[in-house]
Amino acid sequence: MTSTTTTTASTTASTTASTTASTTSPLTVIARMRAKDGREAALRDALTALVAPTRRAPGCLTYDLHTEVGEPARFWFYEVWRRPEDHAENLKSPHITDFIAQTADLLDGGLEVHFLD
């Protein structure tokens, strides 16, 4: 099953909680975003700062940041979580909420988020 959500960063936490059901199966999340012109380095730095604390989060199995080949302003996260609830809890963490507060200045549009099982 695949679920796709396009949203602003500020609504990601509530969207995730409402689109994923409790399960014992891992949840895979693929998120795509684009930096505003001239903000590529700032967005890369902000996203890179999310990696270490998120990898330490309970239930995080994989959390990898990628830049799209030929599109240096396009960033992707590939995430695997033990359970959807673990992902939802991580979105409430200070490092995530602090990032969300910066997104209006960094992102060109919203986040495109895909939930896979």
Side-chain angles (χ1 to χ4, degrees):
M1 181 177 158
T2 302
S3 174
T4 304
T5 302
T6 301
T7 184
T8 62
S10 61
T11 60
T12 299
S14 62
T15 301
T16 300
S18 66
T19 60
T20 58
S22 178
T23 182
T24 58
S25 299
L27 172 69
T28 299
V29 180
I30 300 173
R32 180 175 77 159
M33 65 215 77
R34 182 173 184 76
K36 286 184 175 180
D37 288 340
R39 302 298 288 155
E40 297 86 355
L43 180 57
R44 183 183 311 93
D45 291 346
L47 295 173
T48 299
L50 299 177
V51 174
T54 300
R55 285 181 176 165
R56 290 190 301 267
C60 180
L61 304 175
T62 302
Y63 193 79
D64 296 329
L65 174 63
H66 301 273
T67 305
E68 188 168 322
V69 174
E71 287 284 336
R74 174 88 56 198
F75 297 90
W76 296 76
F77 272 114
Y78 173 77
E79 311 170 33
V80 180
W81 295 87
R82 184 184 59 214
R83 302 173 307 133
E85 295 87 354
D86 295 325
H87 178 255
E89 280 302 310
N90 181 65
L91 294 176
K92 299 174 191 174
S93 300
H95 66 281
I96 298 293
T97 58
D98 291 349
F99 169 74
I100 290 170
Q102 301 175 51
T103 58
D105 184 49
L106 298 174
L107 294 184
D108 180 10
L111 297 170
E112 181 180 325
V113 182
H114 300 264
F115 301 97
L116 312 170
D117 60 5

Short mmCIF file of all heavy atoms in Angstrom, two decimals, residues 6 20 24 30 34 40-41 47 49 80 87 95 105 115:
data_model
loop_
_atom_site.label_atom_id
_atom_site.label_comp_id
_atom_site.label_asym_id
_atom_site.label_seq_id
_atom_site.Cartn_x
_atom_site.Cartn_y
_atom_site.Cartn_z
N THR A 6 1.07 15.62 -0.24
CA THR A 6 1.83 16.83 -0.48
C THR A 6 1.33 17.84 0.52
O THR A 6 0.14 18.08 0.62
CB THR A 6 1.63 17.35 -1.92
OG1 THR A 6 2.04 16.33 -2.82
CG2 THR A 6 2.44 18.61 -2.17
N THR A 20 -1.40 7.12 8.64
CA THR A 20 -0.77 5.83 8.92
C THR A 20 -1.50 5.14 10.06
O THR A 20 -1.81 5.76 11.06
CB THR A 20 0.72 6.01 9.26
OG1 THR A 20 0.82 6.86 10.39
CG2 THR A 20 1.50 6.55 8.09
N THR A 24 2.37 -3.59 13.05
CA THR A 24 3.64 -4.14 13.50
C THR A 24 4.64 -4.20 12.35
O THR A 24 5.78 -4.57 12.56
CB THR A 24 3.42 -5.55 14.08
OG1 THR A 24 2.82 -6.38 13.08
CG2 THR A 24 2.56 -5.50 15.32
N ILE A 30 9.26 8.24 2.07
CA ILE A 30 10.11 8.94 1.11
C ILE A 30 9.58 10.38 1.03
O ILE A 30 8.40 10.58 0.75
CB ILE A 30 10.09 8.28 -0.27
CG1 ILE A 30 10.60 6.84 -0.15
CG2 ILE A 30 10.92 9.09 -1.27
CD1 ILE A 30 10.46 6.03 -1.42
N ARG A 34 12.26 20.88 -2.36
CA ARG A 34 13.12 21.70 -3.21
C ARG A 34 13.47 22.98 -2.47
O ARG A 34 12.61 23.60 -1.85
CB ARG A 34 12.40 22.02 -4.51
CG ARG A 34 13.20 22.82 -5.48
CD ARG A 34 12.47 22.96 -6.81
NE ARG A 34 13.30 23.64 -7.77
CZ ARG A 34 14.31 23.11 -8.41
NH1 ARG A 34 14.62 21.84 -8.21
NH2 ARG A 34 15.03 23.81 -9.26
N GLU A 40 19.96 26.75 -1.40
CA GLU A 40 20.34 25.34 -1.47
C GLU A 40 21.29 24.94 -0.34
O GLU A 40 21.07 23.91 0.32
CB GLU A 40 20.98 25.02 -2.83
CG GLU A 40 20.06 25.21 -4.01
CD GLU A 40 20.04 26.63 -4.57
OE1 GLU A 40 20.67 27.53 -3.99
OE2 GLU A 40 19.37 26.84 -5.60
N ALA A 41 22.33 25.71 -0.11
CA ALA A 41 23.30 25.36 0.93
C ALA A 41 22.66 25.44 2.31
O ALA A 41 22.91 24.58 3.17
CB ALA A 41 24.53 26.27 0.86
N LEU A 47 18.95 20.24 6.70
CA LEU A 47 18.57 18.84 6.57
C LEU A 47 19.64 17.91 7.14
O LEU A 47 19.32 16.93 7.81
CB LEU A 47 18.30 18.50 5.10
CG LEU A 47 17.12 19.21 4.46
CD1 LEU A 47 17.07 18.92 2.96
CD2 LEU A 47 15.81 18.84 5.13
N ALA A 49 21.57 18.53 9.55
CA ALA A 49 21.48 18.60 11.02
C ALA A 49 20.38 17.69 11.58
O ALA A 49 20.41 17.35 12.76
CB ALA A 49 21.24 20.04 11.45
N VAL A 80 13.09 4.48 7.11
CA VAL A 80 12.38 3.25 7.49
C VAL A 80 12.23 3.31 9.01
O VAL A 80 13.20 3.52 9.74
CB VAL A 80 13.13 1.98 7.06
CG1 VAL A 80 12.34 0.73 7.48
CG2 VAL A 80 13.37 1.97 5.56
N HIS A 87 7.52 6.98 13.81
CA HIS A 87 7.69 8.11 12.89
C HIS A 87 6.91 9.33 13.39
O HIS A 87 7.43 10.44 13.45
CB HIS A 87 7.23 7.72 11.48
CG HIS A 87 7.32 8.84 10.50
ND1 HIS A 87 6.21 9.52 10.07
CD2 HIS A 87 8.38 9.40 9.88
CE1 HIS A 87 6.58 10.46 9.22
NE2 HIS A 87 7.90 10.41 9.09
N HIS A 95 14.29 18.80 17.32
CA HIS A 95 15.08 19.03 16.11
C HIS A 95 14.19 19.11 14.87
O HIS A 95 14.48 19.86 13.94
CB HIS A 95 16.19 17.99 15.94
CG HIS A 95 15.72 16.60 15.70
ND1 HIS A 95 15.27 15.77 16.72
CD2 HIS A 95 15.63 15.87 14.57
CE1 HIS A 95 14.93 14.61 16.21
NE2 HIS A 95 15.14 14.64 14.90
N ASP A 105 11.40 29.95 4.90
CA ASP A 105 12.56 30.65 4.35
C ASP A 105 13.40 29.76 3.43
O ASP A 105 14.17 30.26 2.62
CB ASP A 105 13.43 31.17 5.49
CG ASP A 105 14.60 32.00 5.01
OD1 ASP A 105 14.40 32.90 4.17
OD2 ASP A 105 15.73 31.73 5.46
N PHE A 115 4.18 7.39 1.86
CA PHE A 115 4.21 6.36 2.91
C PHE A 115 4.03 5.01 2.24
O PHE A 115 3.06 4.79 1.51
CB PHE A 115 3.09 6.59 3.93
CG PHE A 115 3.18 7.94 4.58
CD1 PHE A 115 2.43 9.00 4.11
CD2 PHE A 115 4.01 8.14 5.65
CE1 PHE A 115 2.52 10.26 4.70
CE2 PHE A 115 4.11 9.38 6.26
CZ PHE A 115 3.36 10.44 5.79
#
